[in-house]
Amino acid sequence: MTTICELCESEISKYNLIKHQKSDSCSKINKLLLKKQEQYKIEINNINLNYKNKENDFQEKIKLLELEVSKLTQENTSLKSENKSLEKSNESFRKIVEKAATKTTIKNNNNYSHNNYLNYISTEPLKMSEIPKQIKQFINCETVMYDDSDFHDHIVDNILKDKNGKDKVLCTDINRKNFTYKDETSGELISDPELERLREQFKKGSDIRQIRRDLLEKLVVEYEENGSIGVDPYKRFSDIIQKLNFGSPFVDHVAKKTYVKRCSTVKTNTLEKNSETINKIEEDIEYSEEEYQKLLEEFGDEPFPILGPPTGQSGE
């Protein structure tokens, strides 16, 4: 009859168990088994410790992410409020400028600037209705990681130029950031100060939630694969995601890329050389004091796109 030795787990005769357990072979095997068990316990403890550490790291990252989301939510709320205020202000100025543009009766010289812009701008209108679709096509996790200059060039080259590389948008006043493009319905040149209307379409077309999710995941993975060395991924995320606001850096970049200097220069030279032969206005255009002051604020010392201060005043 056989049995299993509880010390070395060997199968032996039941009658030789006591003798076997006193033997060197049994003792040696027993020690090996005990050593293996101890090593196994140590490995289990290390695994548990690593798991707890990773779990703590994960919880910490979740907290940081929640804080970042809260911060971005607050910033978004603030920007929305600020944007509504600016929209009201810009809409007021836009109506004045458009109203003035429709009233103008100046011959030849006023038409000169308009025709000169047509020499530089694309024959294709800027189709606002297609902007959201184009944004979804060209703005994603990969492109938003371009540096600022490349990111803005990417938008200008793929959305604000036609197939021949001609600009669909022109900056007509680089200091005040006034822009002009063709209306997709009428085909007429319209004004868009600081590209407010265009940038609103950019924001509507951007899949911000998906881009944020993909971007943060990509940055965290890159950071961990690099041994958690370098710039904190949440700091990089916060900096990169600001591009989707299409704020002042974007407007300044488009202004520099599309500013048409010859328009204003040639027009000024022409007016100086032919000042004695400028056609008179066929009829005077009168504006209220409030309208005139707004035009002064908009155009400063530059020639108005239309002429005619309130009766009794002289424009400079």
Side-chain angles (χ1 to χ4, degrees):
M1 181 179 295
T2 61
T3 186
I4 302 299
C5 176
E6 62 184 12
L7 298 179
C8 68
E9 299 181 357
S10 299
E11 184 179 359
I12 59 173
S13 174
K14 188 175 182 180
Y15 300 105
N16 294 327
L17 178 60
I18 296 176
K19 181 179 178 181
H20 167 76
Q21 290 178 341
K22 291 180 180 181
S23 66
D24 291 340
S25 61
C26 181
S27 176
K28 185 176 181 180
I29 293 174
N30 182 42
K31 288 179 180 179
L32 290 173
L33 289 173
L34 291 174
K35 185 176 181 180
K36 284 288 184 181
Q37 290 176 355
E38 187 63 28
Q39 289 176 344
Y40 177 74
K41 289 180 180 179
I42 293 174
E43 290 176 359
I44 291 298
N45 289 334
N46 288 335
I47 290 173
N48 290 334
L49 181 61
N50 289 334
Y51 176 78
K52 288 181 179 179
N53 289 336
K54 288 186 177 181
E55 184 178 20
N56 291 335
D57 289 343
F58 182 69
Q59 292 298 328
E60 185 64 25
K61 288 178 180 178
I62 289 178
K63 291 180 180 179
L64 290 173
L65 182 57
E66 289 175 344
L67 289 173
E68 184 65 28
V69 169
S70 176
K71 178 182 176 182
L72 290 173
T73 301
Q74 292 177 359
E75 290 179 354
N76 187 47
T77 301
S78 176
L79 288 172
K80 282 184 178 179
S81 177
E82 182 180 344
N83 187 51
K84 287 183 179 179
S85 177
L86 290 173
E87 281 180 350
K88 291 180 180 179
S89 176
N90 287 325
E91 182 65 16
S92 176
F93 283 111
R94 185 180 67 80
K95 287 180 179 179
I96 291 175
V97 173
E98 289 183 352
K99 180 180 178 182
T102 59
K103 285 184 177 181
T104 183
T105 58
I106 300 175
K107 295 182 179 180
N108 299 327
N109 291 299
N110 278 358
N111 291 331
Y112 176 82
S113 179
H114 178 274
N115 292 333
N116 197 30
Y117 289 141
L118 291 177
N119 292 332
Y120 290 90
I121 202 166
S122 170
T123 57
E124 296 180 19
L126 188 65
K127 297 181 180 179
M128 284 288 185
S129 58
E130 295 182 4
I131 292 296
K133 180 180 178 180
Q134 292 176 311
I135 284 293
K136 283 184 173 63
Q137 178 182 356
F138 294 109
I139 305 301
N140 51 51
C141 174
E142 298 298 329
T143 58
V144 81
M145 291 182 70
Y146 294 166
D147 64 38
D148 286 359
S149 179
D150 288 343
F151 177 72
H152 296 150
D153 278 341
H154 178 68
I155 296 175
V156 172
D157 294 341
N158 289 289
I159 299 177
L160 304 185
K161 289 181 182 290
D162 62 21
K163 294 180 180 179
N164 297 319
K166 203 164 187 178
D167 292 317
K168 294 182 180 181
V169 174
L170 293 182
C171 175
T172 55
D173 186 335
I174 198 167
N175 293 320
R176 295 178 178 83
K177 301 301 183 294
N178 285 332
F179 294 84
T180 293
Y181 48 79
K182 286 186 177 181
D183 179 68
E184 65 178 312
T185 302
S186 66
E188 297 294 326
L189 292 178
I190 59 175
S191 175
D192 188 0
E194 297 200 12
L195 294 176
E196 282 291 336
R197 297 164 70 186
L198 178 62
R199 291 190 291 129
E200 185 63 27
Q201 294 301 311
F202 282 179
K203 293 176 183 179
K204 287 181 180 180
S206 301
D207 191 350
I208 296 180
R209 289 187 178 180
Q210 184 63 47
I211 293 175
R212 281 177 174 170
R213 185 161 47 246
D214 294 344
L215 177 62
L216 185 59
E217 180 180 352
K218 183 178 182 64
L219 293 175
V220 170
V221 170
E222 286 184 354
Y223 183 72
E224 291 178 346
E225 289 180 347
N226 197 35
S228 299
I229 298 174
V231 181
D232 181 83
Y234 299 97
K235 174 63 169 62
R236 287 185 65 196
F237 171 82
S238 179
D239 293 340
I240 293 173
I241 209 67
Q242 294 300 319
K243 295 174 187 175
L244 295 183
N245 290 328
F246 302 100
S248 296
F250 171 73
V251 175
D252 291 342
H253 187 91
V254 178
K256 291 176 183 178
K257 297 285 286 188
T258 64
Y259 181 45
V260 183
K261 291 184 179 180
R262 273 189 66 187
C263 288
S264 58
T265 303
V266 174
K267 180 180 176 181
T268 301
N269 293 337
T270 302
L271 289 174
E272 289 177 352
K273 292 179 181 178
N274 302 286
S275 59
E276 295 181 358
T277 60
I278 297 177
N279 294 319
K280 293 183 179 180
I281 304 174
E282 291 182 340
E283 61 180 356
D284 292 333
I285 304 171
E286 294 185 0
Y287 301 98
S288 68
E289 178 66 24
E290 181 180 358
E291 287 179 331
Y292 183 66
Q293 290 302 322
K294 287 184 177 180
L295 287 171
L296 281 176
E297 293 175 4
E298 175 67 17
F299 296 96
D301 295 330
E302 293 187 359
F304 285 113
I306 45 89
L307 299 178
T311 305
Q313 296 189 20
S314 60
E316 295 182 0

